[in-house]
Amino acid sequence: MSGLLLRRLLQTPLIVLAVYTITFLLAWALPGSAVISDEGRQPPAAVLEAMEAQYNLDNQWVFYWQYLSDATGASWLGTKLSGGTWPAERPMLDFGPSLRHADWRVNEIIVGTLPVSVALGLSAITIALVVGVAVGVIGALKPNSWIDITTLSIALVGISLPSFLTGTALLLLFPVLLGVGRVAGWGTVGDMVLPALTLSLPFAAYIARLTRMGMIDVLGADYIRTARAKGLPERVVILRHALKNAFLPVLSYLGPATAFAMTGSFVIEMVFNVPGIGQHFVSAVLTKDLFLIMGIVLIYSTMLVLLNLIVDLLYGWVDPRIGAGSG
Amino acid sequence: MLKLLAPLLFLIGAVGVVVISDRPMPPADYTFAQINDFFTLDPPRMSYEQDLRMAYAIYEGLVRWDNETFEIEPALAKRWELSEDRRTYTFHLREEARWSNGDPVTAHDIHYSWQRAILPDTAADYAQLFFLIDGAEDYFNWRGEQLSAYAALPERERTEEAARALRAEADERYRETVGVRVIDAHTLEVRLQRPTPYFLDLCAFGVFYPVHRPTVERWASVSGRSGRIEQRHDWTKPGKIVTNGPYEVTSWRFKRDFRIERNPYYWNPEMVRSDSVAVVFISNGNTAVLAYQTGSVDWVENVVVDYLPEMIAQKERGERDDLHRIVQYGTYFWSFNCTPTLPDGRDNPFHDPRVRRAFAMSMNKNDIVNRVRRVGEPPATVFIPSGSIPGFDESGSIRGVGYDPAGARRLLAEAGWTIDEGSRRLRNSRGESFPVVELLCSTGSYHENVAQAFQIMWEETIGVQSRIVPKETRVFRDDLKRQNYMMARGGWFGDYGDPTTFLLLHTTGDGNNDRGFSDPHFDELVRSAEEAPTPEDRMRLLEEAERYSMEVALPVVPVFHYVRYYLYDPDRFSGISFHPRSVQYLWKLENKP
């Protein structure tokens, strides 16, 4: 176990560095100047040159290394080791200024928006997990019954419908027609229900299918027959014996799904006006906000790698058959 | 079982922590929905409408516009005098004016703020507006050279100490050479390059508003490497920012919400109608409308939804009275590439103004407005929205070029292009057909629909074929700057109350002249206006420039003047201005519950 952990922890910076480098090359190749905004007046050419010089935008590799060492804390460490003074207002890990939101630094943007996306994504996954597993188990117990067919159809709809449609429908139904909840609000648990529900739909549907398939497989297995023959109550058979094994595919899906739920909520953020980070993934690229692109990518790739690591560790814990060293 | 529940409990716990650490904003006297967050609250760096609207709420300049008439009113300055030669203004500031931390507002604040706006270090979009001040342009250029010389020094000589000395020299030079002079704490003298009738109008423009020096300087440093003043913008955040206007900033959460409350030190509290104002940033138009309908916001400052034409129809049928049309101080147009040759080296037919005029004559703008856009924009044949500038073309004599297909064909024939009887195509005397016109536009908006309508009009009236070239915004901008197009969509909003805010766009070499348009006659009209003996003569010359560019030279074809729709309940919400300059003062707005 600790061998795996150690190896994976050593891999993490290399993976993140690779992601950083590829993103950097792509972002640098984006057309247009990074200091010119899309709309509005243009400052004089001398001013633009000065800005490029200030942000190292006039030299690709200077920017690459400077940003990397600022963002990873290497600059901070270097200054400290050489006995220099690090400005008090400058954070240890400095992701730089945003070029499109002049008054904000990337650190502030991430600190302000990341928790929102994480909360939304985790709520959605929680809902998806509870609903999906329950629906899957029920379906597996009575395959091809009306309840199974109904839940399967809902699952199909859940996967197929785009979230701007389901989201808008929920908005129209609850706050607008029924007067329940707020439109475009964020900050209370109530505000989170509708976006989390919308976001959870495709995940719930997929988890339901995974659970159902796994359960149908497992329920035919010998050890289940043995458990029943021992006279164990059906509840114990299902929950303790069957579900435990049927859950493994769900668990391995949970890692990437959680990561996806925390990043991929651009549409939901638009429809429900959730102040999350998903919108910046898109808008930063469209506006060539280099610092913001690189900052978000660094944070997210680190999170993704760590999340996968957690799922791997959980996997070994839930099912000791999976050797800790073989992951 | 516990093992299965563990991930679930972990998730619920994590969500709980995030939710508990978050608090919604308390209700304000009124709340409005705004599409974009602010770009900056630092006046000299402002150019976006939402930023300027907020500047008028939290800062106060020497003077302000009455936003119903656009006459100049005293604000920070209680009175002022203009010298005989109309080049020197003396402003008398009110002694009772205070910053939101209680500090007095003095002439030094304006002196400092304007220097900051001029310095190339600040990278102000509007630095050029300050070049009207005597010596400002030279100062800007001098500082640029000073910095270049510094950057050329060997690295070991470029220390922070050297950079500070550099700045001290720049401060000294500003005091000595630029025409902004502090007479005493409450008297400021401004000497202009030449008489400028709209200088007071500019002083009312947010970019000219003062900042609080100690606050700004706390976050500014000089870079030893480049010698530049580097400004961190943390100072614009609540808790740090100090302002001198009717309101102060009390909360700002990025792309989420924003709140202002009465500045307790503001000298004229009677003027301010609401104690607190909240802004929520809602980027999705439909969500903004729903937020209004469910009562979360009192005012939507820009209704951007696909079903806007249906909402307008409801209004016309008398089914709703909360939708309000505001004509903007701006014009939507299509640009011609006016350079002699096209990007691929062929002769550019649009180099000939007669061809440009003929194209304009074959564009039916009423059709565009009524059948393509359907949101009630006034069709435009002139660049400067009529009635927006006092004293400019008040008789409405500038007509521009109207829809006239027969006239277009005559004009094309004059320019050597006739419609071939058989093929119905436009050809010249050598039998070459008119090049396929490439219509460059950015994706993701209505421009492609407008371009399609033009395609049909030209095909039918003058036998010209065209092709739409939609490009992603940044690529579009690049192409525009490099004149890599034949025709391209464009838009322009005026900044201050003078025709030059529009006309300078067409002068040779202007930074925003993306058309490569260069006409000595036009340049001469604009230039001689600046030397006109009286403001009236100057206006006549500028009228002539607008007439010439819109009836003869046509670097652009104006299509319509922008409109914007507000959503608010007129029985409860009041204080909105409908003047074509479209400036709203948040302190004038009020919501009666």
Side-chain angles (χ1 to χ4, degrees):
Chain A
M1 198 74 159
S2 55
L4 164 78
L5 190 64
L6 194 67
R7 201 165 62 237
R8 294 291 294 272
L9 281 178
L10 285 177
Q11 280 172 357
T12 304
L14 294 179
I15 297 173
V16 173
L17 181 68
V19 173
Y20 171 79
T21 308
I22 293 169
T23 313
F24 170 76
L25 291 174
L26 290 174
W28 196 272
L30 283 176
S33 155
V35 290
I36 295 182
S37 52
D38 287 342
E39 298 295 334
R41 307 294 184 263
Q42 303 305 329
V47 168
L48 291 178
E49 275 170 36
M51 284 170 75
E52 293 195 338
Q54 184 185 339
Y55 297 132
N56 293 321
L57 292 169
D58 47 355
N59 188 323
Q60 184 170 3
W61 297 112
V62 171
F63 181 92
Y64 177 88
W65 289 114
Q66 189 65 43
Y67 192 80
L68 191 62
S69 54
D70 286 352
T72 53
S75 304
W76 172 79
L77 198 67
T79 313
K80 285 282 172 190
L81 287 181
S82 64
T85 48
W86 186 256
E89 71 274 8
R90 206 173 163 194
M92 235 168 70
L93 312 180
D94 187 357
F95 294 98
S98 162
L99 296 172
R100 297 287 164 258
H101 310 286
D103 288 5
W104 296 88
R105 302 192 61 84
V106 175
N107 288 52
E108 295 173 296
I109 294 178
I110 291 175
V111 167
T113 56
L114 183 66
V116 171
S117 286
V118 169
L120 180 61
L122 291 183
S123 325
I125 288 296
T126 312
I127 297 174
L129 198 58
V130 173
V131 174
V133 170
V135 166
V137 170
I138 293 169
L141 289 181
K142 294 198 171 108
N144 301 322
S145 64
W146 66 270
I147 191 163
D148 183 33
I149 290 172
T150 313
T151 50
L152 273 186
S153 323
I154 294 177
L156 187 69
V157 172
I159 289 186
S160 318
L161 281 186
S163 42
F164 67 83
L165 195 73
T166 46
T168 311
L170 285 176
L171 264 188
L172 284 175
L173 183 63
F174 287 100
V176 178
L177 285 178
L178 302 176
V180 181
R182 293 193 295 168
V183 177
W186 185 261
T188 65
V189 181
D191 293 331
M192 214 194 270
V193 174
L194 289 183
L197 205 62
T198 313
L199 183 58
S200 74
L201 272 181
F203 298 110
Y206 197 70
I207 289 176
R209 289 197 344 182
L210 283 178
T211 313
R212 181 178 175 274
M213 277 191 306
M215 282 298 277
I216 289 177
D217 264 5
V218 169
L219 283 176
D222 289 345
Y223 74 94
I224 295 292
R225 201 171 328 127
T226 311
R228 281 181 175 145
K230 280 197 297 186
L232 287 179
E234 189 64 9
R235 186 176 52 88
V236 177
V237 175
I238 303 291
L239 291 181
R240 187 165 303 164
H241 292 260
L243 186 56
K244 194 170 167 184
N245 282 312
F247 188 68
L248 287 177
V250 176
L251 186 60
S252 49
Y253 169 67
L254 221 48
T258 308
F260 188 73
M262 290 185 323
T263 55
S265 44
F266 174 70
V267 171
I268 306 238
E269 284 179 14
M270 288 292 278
V271 171
F272 292 99
N273 208 48
V274 175
I277 204 170
Q279 52 184 311
H280 302 298
F281 268 102
V282 180
S283 64
V285 172
L286 286 181
T287 56
K288 199 175 179 179
D289 194 341
L290 280 177
F291 293 93
L292 190 53
I293 300 176
M294 302 314 298
I296 293 181
V297 164
L298 271 179
I299 289 284
Y300 258 103
S301 50
T302 312
M303 267 177 57
L304 278 185
V305 174
L306 292 180
L307 211 61
N308 275 327
L309 180 62
I310 291 174
V311 168
D312 282 355
L313 293 176
L314 272 180
Y315 218 80
W317 184 56
V318 170
D319 185 0
R321 281 177 310 177
I322 296 169
S326 65
Chain B
M1 200 56 217
L2 177 73
K3 285 186 176 181
L4 287 184
L5 281 180
L8 201 62
L9 290 176
F10 170 75
L11 289 178
I12 293 172
V15 173
V17 168
V18 175
V19 169
I20 287 166
S21 64
D22 207 319
R23 282 278 154 267
M25 208 166 45
D29 284 359
Y30 70 87
T31 302
F32 70 98
Q34 184 172 294
I35 294 185
N36 293 307
D37 197 347
F38 303 105
F39 175 71
T40 179
L41 296 183
D42 186 7
R45 298 194 70 193
M46 290 183 175
S47 68
Y48 291 90
E49 188 202 357
Q50 72 267 22
D51 295 13
L52 289 160
R53 182 169 53 216
M54 192 46 71
Y56 302 135
I58 60 177
Y59 295 102
E60 183 171 71
L62 291 168
V63 296
R64 84 166 64 87
W65 306 301
D66 175 332
N67 72 345
E68 301 290 343
T69 60
F70 280 80
E71 274 155 23
I72 300 295
E73 292 180 340
L76 181 56
K78 57 188 176 192
R79 60 191 171 81
W80 53 89
E81 293 111 34
L82 178 58
S83 65
E84 264 314 277
D85 66 355
R86 296 186 294 123
R87 278 184 60 196
T88 305
Y89 281 90
T90 309
F91 294 96
H92 302 275
L93 276 58
R94 32 186 107 241
E95 287 81 7
E96 67 272 31
R98 291 284 180 277
W99 291 96
S100 54
N101 66 351
D103 289 356
V105 186
T106 66
H108 294 284
D109 292 318
I110 299 276
H111 183 263
Y112 166 76
S113 304
W114 288 6
Q115 178 194 11
R116 201 169 155 260
I118 297 166
L119 280 172
D121 313 47
T122 310
D125 288 1
Y126 283 118
Q128 274 140 323
L129 291 184
F130 288 85
F131 293 174
L132 296 168
I133 299 169
D134 197 34
E137 186 167 7
D138 287 342
Y139 179 68
F140 175 88
N141 294 330
W142 170 84
R143 172 73 174 170
E145 286 158 20
Q146 185 207 31
L147 288 171
S148 307
Y150 180 85
L153 292 174
E155 194 157 346
R156 66 192 150 69
E157 288 177 37
R158 285 181 280 147
T159 59
E160 262 179 51
E161 203 178 327
R164 269 195 297 274
L166 205 69
R167 176 166 185 192
E169 190 192 351
D171 290 348
E172 180 68 28
R173 193 179 172 93
Y174 175 71
R175 277 192 296 276
E176 281 170 5
T177 65
V178 180
V180 185
R181 217 155 56 82
V182 176
I183 307 288
D184 62 50
H186 294 99
T187 316
L188 183 80
E189 188 188 273
V190 183
R191 180 142 183 88
L192 304 177
Q193 192 93 12
R194 56 171 173 259
T196 310
Y198 58 95
F199 180 68
L200 285 178
D201 199 283
L202 278 179
C203 291
F205 184 44
V207 174
F208 284 70
Y209 284 17
V211 292
H212 185 246
R213 178 173 191 162
T215 305
V216 173
E217 283 294 307
R218 235 199 87 211
W219 298 94
S221 55
V222 284
S223 153
R225 194 167 66 93
S226 66
R228 283 171 203 288
I229 302 167
E230 289 186 352
Q231 179 78 53
R232 286 180 60 102
H233 282 88
D234 307 55
W235 70 269
T236 61
K237 301 296 159 51
K240 304 189 185 92
I241 185 169
V242 174
T243 61
N244 70 327
Y247 290 102
E248 60 178 343
V249 181
T250 55
S251 164
W252 187 7
R253 293 188 291 188
F254 182 64
K255 283 214 176 169
R256 184 165 169 183
D257 47 31
F258 185 90
R259 188 186 173 90
I260 50 177
E261 284 172 28
R262 260 179 202 277
N263 169 3
Y265 292 97
Y266 185 59
W267 63 272
N268 189 11
E270 292 78 36
M271 179 183 95
V272 185
R273 307 240 174 100
S274 299
D275 292 336
S276 57
V277 181
V279 190
V280 284
F281 308 116
I282 306 182
S283 50
N284 182 281
N286 183 46
T287 308
V289 170
L290 293 182
Y292 167 78
Q293 279 181 343
T294 51
S296 303
V297 300
D298 303 300
W299 170 36
V300 178
E301 57 96 41
N302 192 3
V303 179
V304 188
V305 286
D306 296 338
Y307 48 83
L308 184 57
E310 285 72 32
M311 290 174 80
I312 295 167
Q314 284 178 340
K315 183 187 165 79
E316 279 164 1
R317 287 197 301 270
E319 289 163 17
R320 74 184 313 153
D321 61 353
D322 53 3
L323 189 69
H324 310 271
R325 188 181 83 140
I326 310 272
V327 179
Q328 302 281 103
Y329 191 43
T331 305
Y332 176 85
F333 57 82
W334 277 73
S335 299
F336 290 107
N337 180 346
C338 299
T339 56
T341 50
L342 291 175
D344 57 11
R346 286 176 299 167
D347 283 345
N348 182 1
F350 293 131
H351 186 54
D352 184 338
R354 289 171 301 187
V355 176
R356 301 199 292 263
R357 211 153 68 229
F359 268 66
M361 287 162 122
S362 52
M363 291 152 81
N364 186 341
K365 294 156 192 173
N366 283 320
D367 267 6
I368 299 287
V369 166
N370 296 328
R371 293 170 60 187
V372 181
R373 294 286 300 141
R374 302 193 299 138
V375 293
E377 284 130 344
T381 53
V382 292
F383 202 47
I384 305 174
S386 50
S388 57
I389 301 169
F392 179 79
D393 190 34
E394 283 180 339
S395 62
S397 72
I398 304 173
R399 288 295 167 82
V401 172
Y403 180 59
D404 178 9
R409 287 188 286 267
R410 272 198 306 277
L411 210 54
L412 283 169
E414 256 179 60
W417 297 95
T418 48
I419 299 181
D420 181 74
E421 286 303 326
S423 64
R424 305 286 307 145
R425 292 271 170 270
L426 199 61
R427 288 182 199 283
N428 63 12
S429 54
R430 281 166 293 170
E432 296 160 348
S433 51
F434 198 87
V436 174
V437 177
E438 292 188 350
L439 301 167
L440 176 69
C441 62
S442 48
T443 50
S445 195
Y446 52 82
H447 313 298
E448 285 174 66
N449 300 348
V450 172
Q452 278 169 11
F454 289 153
Q455 284 189 299
I456 298 168
M457 290 171 191
W458 290 325
E459 176 91 45
E460 284 173 359
T461 55
I462 50 177
V464 166
Q465 284 190 302
S466 51
R467 192 162 68 83
I468 301 175
V469 188
K471 292 199 174 162
E472 194 270 316
T473 310
R474 304 197 65 76
V475 187
F476 166 80
R477 258 215 110 83
D478 260 16
D479 278 357
L480 206 60
K481 287 280 160 219
R482 291 184 287 117
Q483 271 99 42
N484 185 20
Y485 69 93
M486 289 177 74
M487 285 186 78
R489 71 98 185 163
W492 190 256
F493 286 87
D495 297 312
Y496 51 94
D498 188 78
T500 50
T501 189
F502 286 93
L503 294 174
L504 286 176
L505 196 70
H506 305 319
T507 53
T508 304
D510 183 86
N512 292 295
N513 181 348
D514 300 328
R515 287 142 290 278
F517 176 72
S518 174
D519 187 316
H521 180 61
F522 181 85
D523 290 349
E524 177 57 25
L525 282 171
V526 174
R527 202 193 53 76
S528 57
E530 297 318 327
E531 286 160 15
T534 69
E536 289 73 28
D537 292 336
R538 180 173 171 278
M539 276 301 187
R540 298 298 85 77
L541 283 162
L542 293 175
E543 283 169 6
E544 201 41 48
E546 165 83 344
R547 190 191 321 277
Y548 175 75
S549 61
M550 287 297 106
E551 293 178 0
V552 181
L554 278 103
V556 301
V557 187
V559 180
F560 53 76
H561 299 300
Y562 287 104
V563 298
R564 167 175 289 202
Y565 283 85
Y566 288 168
L567 202 51
Y568 64 83
D569 179 350
D571 297 332
R572 294 197 299 125
F573 197 71
S574 61
I576 294 284
S577 156
F578 286 86
H579 190 277
R581 288 278 294 276
S582 56
V583 170
Q584 305 301 344
Y585 289 142
L586 298 177
W587 45 265
K588 267 193 164 184
L589 307 182
E590 192 176 10
N591 193 39
K592 290 183 288 291

